[in-house]
Tab-separated table of all heavy atoms in Angstrom:
chain	number	residue	atom	x	y	z
A	60	ALA	N	-3.211	-28.006	30.069
A	60	ALA	CA	-4.365	-28.802	29.650
A	60	ALA	C	-4.911	-29.580	30.828
A	60	ALA	O	-6.134	-29.732	30.975
A	60	ALA	CB	-3.954	-29.771	28.515
A	61	ILE	N	-4.038	-30.108	31.674
A	61	ILE	CA	-4.440	-30.828	32.864
A	61	ILE	C	-5.178	-29.930	33.794
A	61	ILE	O	-6.234	-30.282	34.375
A	61	ILE	CB	-3.233	-31.454	33.553
A	61	ILE	CG1	-2.719	-32.637	32.722
A	61	ILE	CG2	-3.572	-31.906	34.965
A	61	ILE	CD1	-1.386	-33.216	33.227
A	62	HIS	N	-4.728	-28.685	33.975
A	62	HIS	CA	-5.402	-27.730	34.834
A	62	HIS	C	-6.829	-27.466	34.319
A	62	HIS	O	-7.789	-27.414	35.134
A	62	HIS	CB	-4.598	-26.418	34.905
A	62	HIS	CG	-3.541	-26.404	35.926
A	62	HIS	ND1	-2.429	-27.177	35.849
A	62	HIS	CD2	-3.427	-25.705	37.104
A	62	HIS	CE1	-1.633	-26.946	36.916
A	62	HIS	NE2	-2.238	-26.056	37.673
A	63	GLU	N	-6.946	-27.281	33.035
A	63	GLU	CA	-8.268	-26.980	32.446
A	63	GLU	C	-9.213	-28.134	32.623
A	63	GLU	O	-10.403	-27.960	33.012
A	63	GLU	CB	-8.085	-26.648	30.951
A	63	GLU	CG	-9.405	-26.219	30.280
A	63	GLU	CD	-9.186	-25.829	28.852
A	63	GLU	OE1	-8.148	-25.144	28.569
A	63	GLU	OE2	-10.033	-26.186	28.019
A	64	ASN	N	-8.763	-29.351	32.327
A	64	ASN	CA	-9.615	-30.530	32.465
A	64	ASN	C	-9.968	-30.811	33.917
A	64	ASN	O	-11.089	-31.235	34.233
A	64	ASN	CB	-8.959	-31.734	31.816
A	64	ASN	CG	-8.886	-31.653	30.308
A	64	ASN	OD1	-9.719	-30.992	29.711
A	64	ASN	ND2	-7.937	-32.288	29.696
A	65	LEU	N	-9.007	-30.563	34.821
A	65	LEU	CA	-9.286	-30.743	36.238
A	65	LEU	C	-10.301	-29.746	36.729
A	65	LEU	O	-11.162	-30.093	37.573
A	65	LEU	CB	-7.982	-30.625	37.048
A	65	LEU	CG	-8.067	-30.920	38.535
A	65	LEU	CD1	-8.672	-32.321	38.778
A	65	LEU	CD2	-6.678	-30.827	39.175
A	66	LEU	N	-10.240	-28.544	36.223
A	66	LEU	CA	-11.242	-27.524	36.556
A	66	LEU	C	-12.640	-27.997	36.199
A	66	LEU	O	-13.570	-27.880	36.994
A	66	LEU	CB	-10.906	-26.219	35.829
A	66	LEU	CG	-12.000	-25.133	35.811
A	66	LEU	CD1	-12.332	-24.663	37.244
A	66	LEU	CD2	-11.543	-23.923	34.974
A	67	LEU	N	-12.792	-28.575	34.989
A	67	LEU	CA	-14.118	-29.053	34.568
A	67	LEU	C	-14.592	-30.204	35.454
A	67	LEU	O	-15.776	-30.302	35.773
A	67	LEU	CB	-14.061	-29.464	33.107
A	67	LEU	CG	-13.704	-28.364	32.094
A	67	LEU	CD1	-13.545	-28.944	30.692
A	67	LEU	CD2	-14.804	-27.286	32.102
A	68	SER	N	-13.658	-31.127	35.816
A	68	SER	CA	-14.037	-32.228	36.649
A	68	SER	C	-14.422	-31.780	38.052
A	68	SER	O	-15.365	-32.298	38.687
A	68	SER	CB	-12.873	-33.252	36.744
A	68	SER	OG	-12.681	-33.874	35.494
A	69	ALA	N	-13.686	-30.778	38.557
A	69	ALA	CA	-13.994	-30.252	39.905
A	69	ALA	C	-15.380	-29.589	39.942
A	69	ALA	O	-16.148	-29.772	40.886
A	69	ALA	CB	-12.909	-29.247	40.317
A	70	LEU	N	-15.713	-28.851	38.864
A	70	LEU	CA	-17.043	-28.253	38.785
A	70	LEU	C	-18.122	-29.322	38.660
A	70	LEU	O	-19.199	-29.209	39.266
A	70	LEU	CB	-17.103	-27.312	37.584
A	70	LEU	CG	-16.339	-25.993	37.709
A	70	LEU	CD1	-16.386	-25.233	36.374
A	70	LEU	CD2	-16.847	-25.133	38.869
A	71	ARG	N	-17.805	-30.394	37.938
A	71	ARG	CA	-18.759	-31.499	37.789
A	71	ARG	C	-19.126	-32.155	39.127
A	71	ARG	O	-20.263	-32.567	39.311
A	71	ARG	CB	-18.139	-32.503	36.809
A	71	ARG	CG	-18.979	-33.761	36.576
A	71	ARG	CD	-20.069	-33.528	35.572
A	71	ARG	NE	-20.791	-34.775	35.344
A	71	ARG	CZ	-20.458	-35.724	34.477
A	71	ARG	NH1	-19.434	-35.533	33.706
A	71	ARG	NH2	-21.217	-36.793	34.340
A	72	THR	N	-18.153	-32.208	40.024
A	72	THR	CA	-18.334	-32.893	41.277
A	72	THR	C	-18.601	-31.951	42.454
A	72	THR	O	-18.663	-32.360	43.600
A	72	THR	CB	-17.112	-33.769	41.618
A	72	THR	OG1	-15.932	-32.951	41.635
A	72	THR	CG2	-16.960	-34.872	40.594
A	73	GLY	N	-18.721	-30.631	42.164
A	73	GLY	CA	-19.078	-29.690	43.181
A	73	GLY	C	-17.915	-29.217	44.075
A	73	GLY	O	-18.134	-28.619	45.145
A	74	ASP	N	-16.697	-29.463	43.645
A	74	ASP	CA	-15.526	-29.018	44.409
A	74	ASP	C	-15.208	-27.604	43.972
A	74	ASP	O	-14.277	-27.319	43.226
A	74	ASP	CB	-14.344	-29.913	44.153
A	74	ASP	CG	-13.196	-29.679	45.109
A	74	ASP	OD1	-13.212	-28.640	45.811
A	74	ASP	OD2	-12.219	-30.476	45.144
A	75	GLU	N	-15.985	-26.666	44.483
A	75	GLU	CA	-15.896	-25.239	44.056
A	75	GLU	C	-14.593	-24.636	44.498
A	75	GLU	O	-14.025	-23.748	43.772
A	75	GLU	CB	-17.083	-24.455	44.600
A	75	GLU	CG	-18.416	-24.934	44.072
A	75	GLU	CD	-19.578	-24.316	44.783
A	75	GLU	OE1	-19.340	-23.395	45.599
A	75	GLU	OE2	-20.733	-24.713	44.517
Side-chain angles (χ1 to χ4, degrees):
I61 287 172
H62 274 69
E63 184 176 320
N64 289 335
L65 185 55
L66 167 62
L67 297 175
S68 293
L70 289 175
R71 175 82 179 272
T72 56
D74 191 348
E75 297 171 6

